[in-house]
Amino acid sequence: VGSEMCIRDRCMEGHSAGCENALSDLSGTSSKVSVVIPLYNKRPYIERTIRSVLSQTIQDFEIVVVDDGSQDDGADIVRAIDDRRIRLISQENRGVSAARNRGVHEATSDFIAFLDADDEWRPTFLETILRLRTRYPGAGIYATDRINCRPDGRTKPCRYIRIPPAPWEGVLPGYFITAGSSDQPICSSVIGIPKTVLEEVGGFPVRVRIGEDLITWFNIALKYPIAFSREIGAVYHMEAENRTDKQARDKTWRLNLITRIEEAIRNGEVPVEKINEVQEYLAVYQIGMAWHYIRSGRNGEARTILSRCRTELLKRDRRVMYFRTFLPAPFR
C-alpha cells in the first residue's frame, strides 16, 4: 500500500509517465493490448518502429519484442529505449512464425496487435482497431488500411475491390474475393487479433518460412468475419533490408498457400457458404504459380496445377495460361 501511495504521489507531482504501468505491476492486471514485434536484423528501423507505438493516442499497452537470433545490434537499440512497457525476449533463430508465436505466448493481454520491425503505425492505429473490436466483437481480425512507402520515398495507396472508399469501416464483404482480386487488405503490421482466435487456429505455421502470414489469415477467415477500417493506420516500408518481398522471389510462398487451401477444401474445413469464394481465391494463386512455372520452362508442372484450378471468374485467364504451356519458348 505504501508503494502504491508513493506512485500516486509521483503522478500528482506531474511524473505521470509509466505510472499506469507501475500500478498495473502492483495490481497484477494486464494491458489492454499486447504489441508483438518480431525482430531479426532490423537495426536501422527498430527504433522508428517502437517510437511509433509509443506515440499512440491509446497508451494502455505493452510491447513484446522477440529477437529471433539477430546478428546485428538491434536488440541493444531496444534496450536503450527507456520505457517499462517494453519487454525484450531473445531466442535462437527459428523464423518469424516462431517469433510471433513466442510473443503471443508471452503476452499478458487477450488482444494482440502485430507490427513488423521495419514498419510504423500512425498515431491512431490502436484507437482504430480497438474501436472496431467494440463495434464488431465477433470478428477474428481487426485491420486498418495502410500506405506503401517505396525506396525513393514516394507512397502508394492500396487498391481494393468490393471495399467502399474512406471513411468506410465495417465487416469485409467477401474477404477471399477481395484478397484474391486486389491488394491484400490484411498484412502483419495493420492487425489486431484476439488471443483466443490465434490459439484456436494454432498460431503461425512454424514450418513455413515465406507466406506464413497469408496462411494464418486464411485459417482465421474460414471461421470468422474480418473487420476493416479505411483509415490509414500504418506505413509499410518497402525499402527495408531482408523484406519479405525480396525473400518471396522464388515464389514458394504461393505453393505454401496453395497447399494449405487445397488441404482445407479436401478435408471439409471450408464452410459450404464460402466454398465458391475460396475456390476463386485459390485460382488466383494457382494461375500465378502456373505462370511462374511457364517462365521457368516447367510446362508440365504448369499444366498439372492448372488442371486442378476451378474458377468461373478467371476462366479466360486459366485457358490462356494453359494454351501458353504448349507454345515454344520465344512465344510464351
Side-chain angles (χ1 to χ4, degrees), residues 55-186:
S55 299
Q56 292 294 296
T57 56
I58 298 291
Q59 287 287 300
D60 186 7
F61 56 77
E62 66 170 351
I63 301 175
V64 182
V65 180
V66 181
D67 180 24
D68 189 43
S70 295
Q71 297 172 335
D72 61 12
D73 59 350
D76 293 334
I77 301 295
V78 177
R79 293 187 188 96
I81 301 175
D82 186 18
D83 194 296
R84 293 183 62 183
R85 293 170 293 183
I86 301 173
R87 281 193 287 147
L88 176 64
I89 299 168
S90 298
Q91 65 180 29
E92 294 182 359
N93 180 251
R94 295 172 54 206
V96 67
S97 288
R100 290 193 184 115
N101 290 342
R102 177 72 181 277
V104 172
H105 176 75
E106 299 285 347
T108 63
S109 172
D110 65 348
F111 190 57
I112 314 296
F114 293 98
L115 179 59
D116 287 350
D118 39 24
D119 294 331
E120 61 182 308
W121 284 341
R122 294 282 183 85
T124 58
F125 172 76
L126 287 180
E127 180 181 333
T128 302
I129 62 169
L130 287 170
R131 181 177 69 244
L132 287 173
R133 192 185 187 196
T134 299
R135 293 185 62 187
Y136 308 100
I141 298 177
Y142 302 89
T144 74
D145 204 347
R146 66 188 184 278
I147 57 172
N148 303 306
C149 185
R150 295 174 174 173
D152 61 5
R154 290 184 300 163
T155 58
K156 176 186 176 183
C158 292
R159 301 186 183 279
Y160 311 109
I161 66 166
R162 300 184 66 177
I163 300 181
W168 181 87
E169 64 180 35
V171 173
L172 285 179
Y175 162 76
F176 293 109
I177 295 295
T178 300
S181 304
S182 58
D183 287 334
Q184 169 64 250
I186 301 173

Side-chain angles (χ1 to χ4, degrees), residues 236-251:
Y236 177 92
H237 287 277
M238 304 173 70
E239 84 279 10
E241 297 175 10
N242 69 343
R243 187 85 241 189
T244 302
D245 312 277
K246 299 176 182 179
Q247 297 175 352
R249 287 175 183 169
D250 61 3
K251 309 303 178 186

Side-chain angles (χ1 to χ4, degrees), residues 157-226:
C158 292
R159 301 186 183 279
Y160 311 109
I161 66 166
R162 300 184 66 177
I163 300 181
W168 181 87
E169 64 180 35
V171 173
L172 285 179
Y175 162 76
F176 293 109
I177 295 295
T178 300
S181 304
S182 58
D183 287 334
Q184 169 64 250
I186 301 173
C187 83
S188 51
S189 290
V190 296
I191 56 170
I193 304 177
K195 192 173 186 177
T196 54
V197 171
L198 286 163
E199 292 170 343
E200 180 183 353
V201 301
F204 294 85
V206 294
R207 295 182 181 180
V208 179
R209 303 290 280 195
I210 301 175
E212 78 295 327
D213 51 351
L214 292 177
I215 292 174
T216 304
W217 316 152
F218 171 78
N219 291 339
I220 295 174
L222 284 181
K223 300 173 178 290
Y224 294 93
I226 310 298

Side-chain angles (χ1 to χ4, degrees), residues 4-23 84:
E4 183 172 341
M5 290 176 64
C6 179
I7 291 169
R8 292 189 188 279
D9 288 343
R10 292 204 306 272
C11 292
M12 292 296 291
E13 292 169 1
H15 304 288
S16 60
C19 68
E20 289 182 358
N21 299 287
L23 289 169
R84 293 183 62 183

